[in-house]
């Protein structure tokens, strides 16, 4: 059970405080409700590029990192297709430094040309390092546009192509900041060895004067139902043939989400899971196989991917996957197996609650999903999932007409 | 009116209290170190053996032995073991380092005894079935081939060989054909020699159940188990490269992976703490000189860093980055420029103060929570050091001067002593 206080400043900034006296640290996590899905299709990768620019100095403070390091702090951030999240941890007694730094960059950035120019290069190198100069690195650049025809999930957080990042201008940067970076569009969580009253004071002092701004309305096109199987085959200089299947599934807000998540656990969580036992150990069709949900906020993807063993045909490998899908769709799921997955969820959640930063980030995400207290309801939501619900989702989601398959093959030399 | 240009007052860290591990022994003499803290009813139990790669006579043997412990016992098949451990929501983790190998169980306290029953069996009665070994090696080989496409991996592998020598246990690099050479007999022999109560140390952490000592005694402490024998291995002499620069060619690479470094020392050396401060300034944190120059000024890389790796019988310093292929030379030039600056000019008091505070902040973070405290304990225990090590570290960071930093840079970071390895297609 994670206890917290929640209040709103007059400028609509939501503030959540979680006290944990067992740690000497304090953590400030600020989530902005903007991700790659909010980008213009012709200027993708922008939310993430912008995240980099948030470290390029703010209106009154030329450098973000240096003063934070001076007080023993550390920070980072991440961008997904749904959100952009910034966090820093400081020794608890230096909490105010974090407020000073975070409030100034919510107020306004410095917008220097040098920062934009350098971060464009840095992000381009990141694009290369993670997506182009790695075996299988471009899988999601290929699979997303295959699975999505309309919804902005069709491009990856890093962007569709390097050119979009090269083309970003200072005007774009300023417009993006004005639209998305304001108190109305942010959730702040302060966690660790902190006093809620003190946090309230500091929040009023540093964030209170920032103009509220307007929470941008999100009107994203809904992805039409997929009605026939889609495939794409590419050959690359990689040593092993791989298969990636992406099935459409419900959104993170949907009641069925937890049943789908358990479905992925039954199939692929740990060495006792079905795909591991059957496809890696018994039939030895694959050297590696996974099933997982992407966790998207809007209607998302359920992925099954695997590396095919040498000497095994793609057809046989696929038959192996299909047989496991048939079983889970049509044969009763043993009670023990379902209970195992629920126990695993419980211990995963319990272990994750040992870390104050993880708690802070999860509180912010829960609040954005509707209510910070969802964090405390998580285990129960998995506990009530029935075998029938899992099976129903298996039939609904794991349908070949609902699937986009990428065959990522080793180039024959 | 709020003046946003002025930083709020802050406090520097003046002391750090590290919750120490309690030491005890099981009935059969196995040393146990326990860190009892945390609010969640969970426990981590780690059994550590001197059975890392340093001890193997053949590539892959140490890791295969450790990973295949859970591949079946006299009583249970691999599937039965994973079914049971997963059923209790527990996590079983194998890990093999250069010097030590360990197995760890993470469990909710209420299922601890049930889960440990299987861990005990995994440890004492593994049978290493031939078929499981074949599957393991074949899958690992595929992973190895995939990793061999990564410039970062190519540079790291070659760099170790260059530092220690191609035949040295710390330098030896796995080759594709090694996967076909590991026999079940070799694995069994390695298991017998290294996995026994005389070579075992237990570290437990978490909000421990009150009867933890009894629980451990029941499963691991009743009598000596395994084939007792001395575990000793002398450190072979190093045979490092005499060539300062090496290129590992990968024609289609659009980035180059850079490794620069040298053999140095480990935690037990008197210059270790102060070199850590020097290292932090150069490449040990986001605000470091390498990051500030090569990422934040030039935009040549997504990330660059440096570190000092401690091994039981050695240690080495390294700089690592992936940079755009077409700026490889420029990046190298800037790296050497930053090292030269440290040799030639004094670090400013302000920069040193930032680094001091940053290091102490990191230290505070690293002793937060039971599992972190256990890791902190292991980090000294592995080197035969005691908790006064942390006091000495704290003191060194607080008192180091710019002159000392410059002297260290001159002593240890001469360009002629640094080995350079670049993987990719530098133009």
């Amino acid at each position: 059970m994670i206890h917290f206080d929640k209040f709103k400043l007059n400028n609509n900034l939501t503030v959540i405080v979680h006290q944990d006296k067992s740690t000497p640290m304090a953590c400030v996590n600020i989530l902005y409700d903007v991700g790659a899905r909010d980008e213009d299709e012709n200027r993708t990768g922008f939310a993430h590029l912008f995240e980099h620019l948030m470290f390029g100095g703010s209106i009154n403070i030329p450098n973000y990192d240096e003063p934070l390091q001076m007080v023993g702090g550390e920070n980072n951030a991440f961008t997904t297709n749904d959100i952009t999240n910034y966090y820093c941890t400081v020794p608890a007694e230096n909490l105010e430094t974090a407020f000073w730094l975070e409030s100034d960059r919510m107020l306004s950035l410095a917008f220097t040309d040098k920062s934009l120019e350098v971060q464009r290069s840095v992000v381009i190198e990141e694009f290369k390092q993670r997506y182009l100069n790695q075996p299988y690195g471009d899988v999601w650049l290929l699979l997303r546009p295959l699975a999505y025809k309309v919804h902005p999930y069709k491009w990856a957080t890093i962007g569709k192509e390097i050119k979009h990042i090269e083309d970003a201008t200072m005007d774009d940067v300023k417009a993006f900041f004005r639209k998305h970076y304001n108190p109305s569009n942010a959730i702040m969580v302060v966690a660790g060895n902190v006093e809620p009253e003190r946090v309230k004071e500091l929040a009023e002092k540093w964030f209170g004067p920032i103009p509220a701004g307007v929470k941008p309305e999100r009107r994203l096109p809904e992805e039409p139902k997929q009605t026939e199987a889609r495939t794409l085959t590419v050959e690359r200089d990689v040593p092993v043939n791989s298969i990636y299947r992406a099935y459409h599934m419900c959104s993170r807000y949907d009641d069925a989400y937890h049943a789908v998540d358990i479905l992925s656990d039954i199939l692929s969580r740990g060495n006792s899971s079905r795909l591991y036992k059957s496809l890696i150990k018994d039939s030895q069709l694959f050297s590696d196989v996974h099933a997982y949900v992407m966790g998207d906020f809007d209607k998302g993807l359920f992925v099954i991917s695997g590396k095919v063993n040498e000497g095994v045909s793609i057809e046989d490998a696929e038959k192996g996957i299909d047989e496991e899908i048939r079983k889970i769709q049509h044969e009763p799921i043993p009670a023990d197996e379902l209970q195992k997955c629920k126990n695993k969820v419980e211990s995963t959640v319990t272990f994750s609650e040992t870390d104050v930063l993880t708690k802070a980030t999860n509180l912010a995400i829960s609040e954005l999903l509707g209510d910070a207290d969802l964090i405390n309801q998580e285990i129960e939501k998995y506990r009530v999932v029935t075998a029938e619900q899992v099976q129903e989702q298996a039939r609904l989601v794991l349908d070949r007409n609902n699937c986009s398959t990428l065959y990522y093959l080793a180039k024959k030399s | 009116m709020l003046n946003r240009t002025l930083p709020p007052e802050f406090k520097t860290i003046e002391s750090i209290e590290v919750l120490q591990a309690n030491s005890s022994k099981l009935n059969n003499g196995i040393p146990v170190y326990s860190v009892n803290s945390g609010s969640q009813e969970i426990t981590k139990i780690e059994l550590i053996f001197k059975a890392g790669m340093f001890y193997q006579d053949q590539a892959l043997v140490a890791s295969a032995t450790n990973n295949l412990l859970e591949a079946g016992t006299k009583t249970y098949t691999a599937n039965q073991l994973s079914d049971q451990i997963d059923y209790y929501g527990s996590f079983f983790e194998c890990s093999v380092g250069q010097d030590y190998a360990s197995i760890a169980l993470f469990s909710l306290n209420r299922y601890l005894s049930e889960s440990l029953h299987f861990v005990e069996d995994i440890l004492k009665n593994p049978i290493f079935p031939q078929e499981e070994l074949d599957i393991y090696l074949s899958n690992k080989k595929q992973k190895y081939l995939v990793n061999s496409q990564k410039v970062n991996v190519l540079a790291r592998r070659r760099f170790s060989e260059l530092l220690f020598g191609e035949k040295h246990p710390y330098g030896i690099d796995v080759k594709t054909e090694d996967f076909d050479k590991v026999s079940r007999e070799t694995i069994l022999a390695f298991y017998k020699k290294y996995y026994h109560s005389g070579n075992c140390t237990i570290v437990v952490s978490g909000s421990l159940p009150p009867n933890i000592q009894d629980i451990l005694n029941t499963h691991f402490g009743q009598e000596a188990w395994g084939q007792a024998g001395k575990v000793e291995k002398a450190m072979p002499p190093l045979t490092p490269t005499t060539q300062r620069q090496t290129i590992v060619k990968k024609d289609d690479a659009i980035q180059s992976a850079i490794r620069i470094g040298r053999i140095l020392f480990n935690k037990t050396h008197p210059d270790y703490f102060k070199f850590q401060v020097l290292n932090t300034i150069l490449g040990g944190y986001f605000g470091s000189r390498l990051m500030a120059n090569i990422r934040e000024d030039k935009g040549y890389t997504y990330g660059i860093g440096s570190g000092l790796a401690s091994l039981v019988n050695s240690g080495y310093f390294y700089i690592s980055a992936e940079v755009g292929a077409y700026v490889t030379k420029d990046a190298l030039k800037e790296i050497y420029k930053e090292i030269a600056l440290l040799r030639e000019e004094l670090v400013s008091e302000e920069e040193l103060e930032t680094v001091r505070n940053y290091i102490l902040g990191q230290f505070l973070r690293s002793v937060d929570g039971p599992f972190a405290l256990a890791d902190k304990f292991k980090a000294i225990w592995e080197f035969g050091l005691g908790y006064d090590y942390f006091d000495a570290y704290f003191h060194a960071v607080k008192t180091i001067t710019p002159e000392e930093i410059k002297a260290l840079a001159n002593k240890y970071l001469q360009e002629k002593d640094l080995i350079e390895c670049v993987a990719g297609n530098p133009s």
Side-chain angles (χ1 to χ4, degrees):
Chain A
M1 181 73 186
I2 297 174
H3 297 277
F4 60 88
D5 290 338
K6 183 161 94 180
F7 57 93
K8 243 183 202 274
L9 299 185
N10 289 333
N11 60 11
N12 291 332
L13 179 68
T14 302
V15 185
I16 292 165
V17 190
H18 164 62
Q19 187 181 51
D20 177 351
K21 292 228 160 194
S22 73
T23 168
M25 308 304 293
C27 155
V28 175
N29 185 100
I30 300 189
L31 182 157
Y32 291 92
D33 185 5
V34 57
R37 63 178 161 164
D38 299 305
E39 293 162 350
D40 177 339
E41 180 161 9
N42 300 308
R43 285 156 193 246
T44 62
F46 209 87
H48 169 252
L49 173 64
F50 193 86
E51 174 213 312
H52 279 246
L53 296 171
M54 282 285 277
F55 295 90
S58 53
I59 185 85
N60 297 296
I61 309 171
N63 185 308
Y64 175 90
D65 289 286
E66 227 172 83
L68 188 69
Q69 286 151 359
M70 182 56 103
V71 306
E74 166 113 308
N75 72 89
N76 215 329
F78 64 82
T79 309
T80 70
N81 285 54
D82 295 312
I83 59 166
T84 315
N85 190 62
Y86 301 81
Y87 51 91
C88 58
T89 57
V90 288
E93 49 193 11
N94 295 335
L95 179 62
E96 188 162 5
T97 304
F99 275 79
W100 170 61
L101 288 165
E102 291 298 346
S103 63
D104 202 50
R105 62 178 181 175
M106 190 183 286
L107 183 65
S108 181
L109 293 185
F111 299 116
T112 66
D113 290 329
K114 167 85 181 173
S115 168
L116 176 59
E117 187 197 328
V118 168
Q119 292 310 319
R120 263 197 308 244
S121 307
V122 170
V123 169
I124 288 168
E125 290 306 323
E126 181 180 359
F127 201 127
K128 291 184 200 163
Q129 183 171 326
R130 297 173 59 180
Y131 298 86
L132 304 180
N133 206 35
Q134 297 290 337
Y136 313 98
D138 60 345
V139 161
W140 286 102
L141 302 180
L142 299 165
L143 197 48
R144 281 184 177 275
L146 189 66
Y148 292 102
K149 295 300 160 196
V150 176
H151 191 281
Y153 283 163
K154 67 182 170 180
W155 57 84
T157 308
I158 193 75
K160 268 185 191 173
E161 49 184 308
I162 284 181
K163 178 141 194 332
H164 283 186
I165 297 158
E166 285 170 343
D167 288 348
T169 68
M170 187 54 88
D171 286 343
D172 296 334
V173 172
K174 287 183 176 165
F176 196 84
F177 184 82
R178 270 196 300 272
K179 184 166 179 196
H180 299 289
Y181 281 72
N182 62 52
S184 308
N185 206 32
I187 295 164
M188 173 160 82
V189 179
V190 183
N193 204 333
V194 298
E195 296 299 331
E197 278 312 309
R198 172 87 177 129
V199 171
K200 231 173 238 184
E201 266 169 46
L202 289 173
E204 289 290 355
K205 176 178 172 186
W206 292 103
F207 288 88
I210 303 174
V214 181
K215 185 165 178 69
E217 204 180 324
R218 182 176 280 126
R219 270 187 241 144
L220 301 179
E222 191 165 347
E223 186 65 23
K225 187 175 164 52
Q226 184 178 338
T227 51
E228 56 179 11
R230 298 172 190 158
T231 64
L232 173 69
T233 304
V234 296
E235 286 194 0
R236 294 281 193 272
D237 190 14
V238 291
V240 181
N241 293 332
S242 293
I243 301 171
Y244 297 84
R245 289 187 183 185
Y247 298 89
H248 293 281
M249 62 170 278
C250 65
S251 84
R252 184 95 171 250
Y253 299 92
D254 200 294
D255 288 339
Y257 181 84
H258 298 87
V260 187
D261 198 21
I262 292 222
L263 170 65
S264 75
D265 286 352
I266 292 176
L267 287 176
S268 144
R269 182 151 194 194
N271 292 1
S272 69
S273 64
R274 292 188 180 192
L275 296 187
Y276 182 85
K277 280 184 186 167
S278 131
L279 303 181
I280 294 183
K281 286 296 193 65
D282 294 347
S283 62
Q284 294 168 33
L285 296 171
F286 288 85
S287 67
D288 199 21
V289 68
H290 298 281
Y292 55 95
V293 301
M294 298 279 282
D296 308 282
F297 287 15
D298 296 332
K299 284 182 184 170
L301 294 178
F302 184 106
V303 181
I304 299 178
S305 68
K307 294 204 163 61
V308 181
N309 258 327
E310 213 179 306
V312 174
S313 73
I314 295 289
E315 294 72 33
D316 287 346
E318 290 221 274
K319 273 186 206 150
I321 297 177
D322 289 335
E323 174 57 13
E324 285 307 315
I325 291 175
R326 188 200 61 75
K327 276 189 199 154
I328 200 154
Q329 284 174 332
H330 300 289
E331 294 173 15
I333 299 168
D336 267 10
E337 194 178 19
L338 183 63
Q339 190 58 45
K340 174 194 79 174
C341 293
K342 294 178 180 180
N343 290 347
K344 207 91 188 185
V345 167
E346 182 186 342
S347 72
T348 305
V349 171
T350 312
F351 273 92
S352 78
E353 289 178 1
T354 56
D355 180 50
V356 70
L357 180 58
T358 310
K359 284 190 283 188
T361 306
N362 288 342
L363 276 167
I365 291 174
S366 298
E367 177 66 16
L368 183 63
L369 288 171
D371 181 1
D373 195 54
L374 288 172
I375 200 171
N376 292 318
Q377 301 162 21
E378 201 65 359
I379 292 177
E380 188 55 29
K381 286 194 169 165
Y382 283 97
R383 218 194 296 272
V384 297
V385 170
T386 65
E388 291 69 32
Q389 288 167 338
V390 175
Q391 201 149 43
E392 187 192 331
Q393 288 302 318
R395 291 192 194 125
L396 204 65
V397 175
L398 304 179
D399 169 1
R400 63 183 305 277
N401 290 327
N402 183 38
C403 181
S404 301
T405 307
L406 171 65
Y407 300 102
Y408 200 108
L409 307 181
K411 201 180 275 174
K412 291 176 193 80
S413 49
Chain B
M1 184 68 186
L2 191 60
N3 185 346
R4 290 184 180 270
T5 59
L6 289 181
E9 301 217 343
F10 68 94
K11 294 196 175 115
T12 53
I13 298 168
E14 294 308 326
S15 67
I16 290 178
E17 213 157 301
V18 182
L19 177 66
Q20 301 197 0
N22 263 324
S23 143
S24 64
K25 274 193 166 38
L26 298 187
N27 297 340
N28 60 3
I30 292 182
V32 176
Y33 300 95
S34 45
V35 176
N36 192 358
S37 88
S39 46
Q40 305 288 339
E41 292 291 309
I42 50 182
T43 293
K44 175 184 179 185
I45 297 181
E46 186 169 14
L47 297 114
I48 306 171
F49 302 85
K50 278 185 192 169
M53 289 179 274
F54 181 75
Y55 297 94
Q56 68 191 6
D57 297 319
Q58 187 185 335
L60 299 169
V61 171
S63 54
T65 306
N66 185 264
N67 278 284
L68 288 167
L69 288 169
E70 58 172 330
T73 67
K74 289 170 188 159
T75 320
Y76 303 106
T77 64
N79 280 351
Q80 286 169 327
L81 290 168
S82 58
D83 279 346
Q84 293 295 328
I85 290 173
D86 281 347
Y87 182 80
Y88 294 112
S90 301
F91 300 89
F92 181 76
E93 205 177 78
C94 301
S95 95
V96 181
Q98 294 279 13
D99 297 299
Y100 292 93
S102 72
I103 59 172
L105 176 79
F106 298 78
S107 172
L108 298 175
N109 284 355
R110 66 175 193 273
Y111 294 130
L112 190 57
S113 290
E114 286 88 341
S115 310
L116 268 184
H117 166 75
F118 297 99
V119 176
E120 177 187 357
D121 198 41
I122 282 171
L123 191 58
K124 293 181 180 173
N125 305 306
I127 53 169
F128 303 102
Q130 183 66 49
E131 200 192 1
E132 294 280 346
L133 173 63
D134 293 341
I135 295 171
Y136 171 82
L137 289 171
S138 149
N139 294 348
K140 282 283 165 189
K141 184 175 173 179
Q142 279 215 359
K143 274 208 181 80
Y144 172 87
L145 291 174
V146 171
N147 282 330
S148 300
Q149 302 270 317
K150 301 177 184 173
V151 287
N152 186 33
V153 172
L154 294 175
R156 189 182 41 187
R157 286 183 190 155
R158 187 77 187 112
F159 183 63
S160 296
E161 286 185 336
L162 295 170
L163 278 180
F164 293 98
E166 290 174 16
K167 298 260 154 53
H168 194 278
Y170 283 150
I172 204 161
D173 175 22
V174 177
K175 304 279 187 290
T176 314
E177 56 270 24
D178 290 332
F179 291 89
D180 305 323
K181 293 179 185 163
V182 180
S183 73
R184 182 169 174 266
E185 287 65 39
T186 318
I187 301 280
L188 275 167
F190 193 83
Y191 167 76
K192 278 201 178 125
K193 187 160 179 196
Y194 295 105
Y195 287 83
H196 55 78
S197 55
N199 188 32
C200 177
T201 298
I202 299 180
V203 177
V204 289
S205 49
S207 180
L208 304 174
N211 59 340
I212 183 73
Q213 191 77 6
D214 296 338
I215 294 175
L216 292 174
N217 258 321
T218 306
H219 295 287
F220 307 108
Q222 297 303 26
E223 53 206 22
W225 41 268
Q227 215 175 59
K230 270 230 155 85
V231 174
E232 268 173 22
K233 181 166 178 174
M235 170 79 169
L238 302 180
T239 51
T241 179
T242 50
Q243 197 179 320
R244 213 187 74 71
Q245 291 163 310
T246 302
I247 289 183
V248 184
K249 199 76 175 132
K250 185 170 189 298
D251 287 333
D252 58 349
I254 57 172
Q255 284 191 318
S256 307
I258 295 174
R259 282 280 192 293
I260 294 173
R262 61 168 297 178
I263 292 288
L264 217 48
F265 38 68
N266 68 15
K267 288 177 186 180
T268 59
H269 192 276
D271 282 341
Y272 179 82
F273 300 130
K274 291 188 173 174
F275 191 88
Q276 276 293 11
V277 179
L278 169 62
N279 170 64
T280 306
I281 294 170
L282 178 64
Y285 74 125
F286 192 88
S288 72
R289 292 185 174 192
L290 290 175
M291 278 294 268
N293 179 349
I294 290 152
R295 174 176 145 138
E296 291 296 296
D297 187 59
K298 307 290 188 310
Y300 292 160
T301 183
Y302 176 48
I304 181 163
S306 68
L308 185 54
S310 265
L311 304 168
V312 168
N313 299 298
S314 186
Y316 61 93
F317 163 74
Y318 64 92
I319 293 169
S320 130
E322 281 158 82
V323 303
Y326 61 99
V327 291
T328 309
K329 272 190 196 136
D330 301 316
L332 287 168
K333 203 178 99 197
E334 293 300 324
I335 291 171
Y336 289 116
K337 195 174 102 189
E338 290 301 337
I339 297 172
L341 267 177
L342 284 167
R343 288 194 308 260
E344 288 155 14
E345 290 178 18
L346 291 175
V347 175
S348 74
E349 258 312 324
E350 198 198 344
E351 184 180 4
L352 183 53
E353 190 58 19
T354 304
V355 166
R356 272 195 194 112
N357 293 344
Y358 173 78
I359 291 177
L360 298 180
Q362 283 299 89
F363 192 89
L364 198 61
R365 255 178 284 278
S366 74
V367 293
D368 190 9
F371 305 138
L373 283 163
D375 286 342
K376 212 70 192 163
F377 167 74
K378 282 190 291 173
I380 48 175
W381 169 81
E382 288 183 354
F383 295 87
L385 299 161
Y387 276 98
D388 55 352
Y389 168 87
F390 296 125
D391 300 329
Y393 184 39
F394 194 87
H395 180 75
V397 171
K398 277 281 192 192
T399 56
I400 188 170
T401 64
E403 289 74 18
E404 287 178 295
I405 289 169
K406 190 175 158 197
L408 281 175
N410 277 288
K411 190 170 174 187
Y412 295 117
L413 297 181
Q414 292 295 337
E415 202 167 313
K416 66 174 170 50
D417 299 328
L418 297 173
I419 292 170
E420 173 190 310
C421 177
V422 176
N425 189 25
S427 54

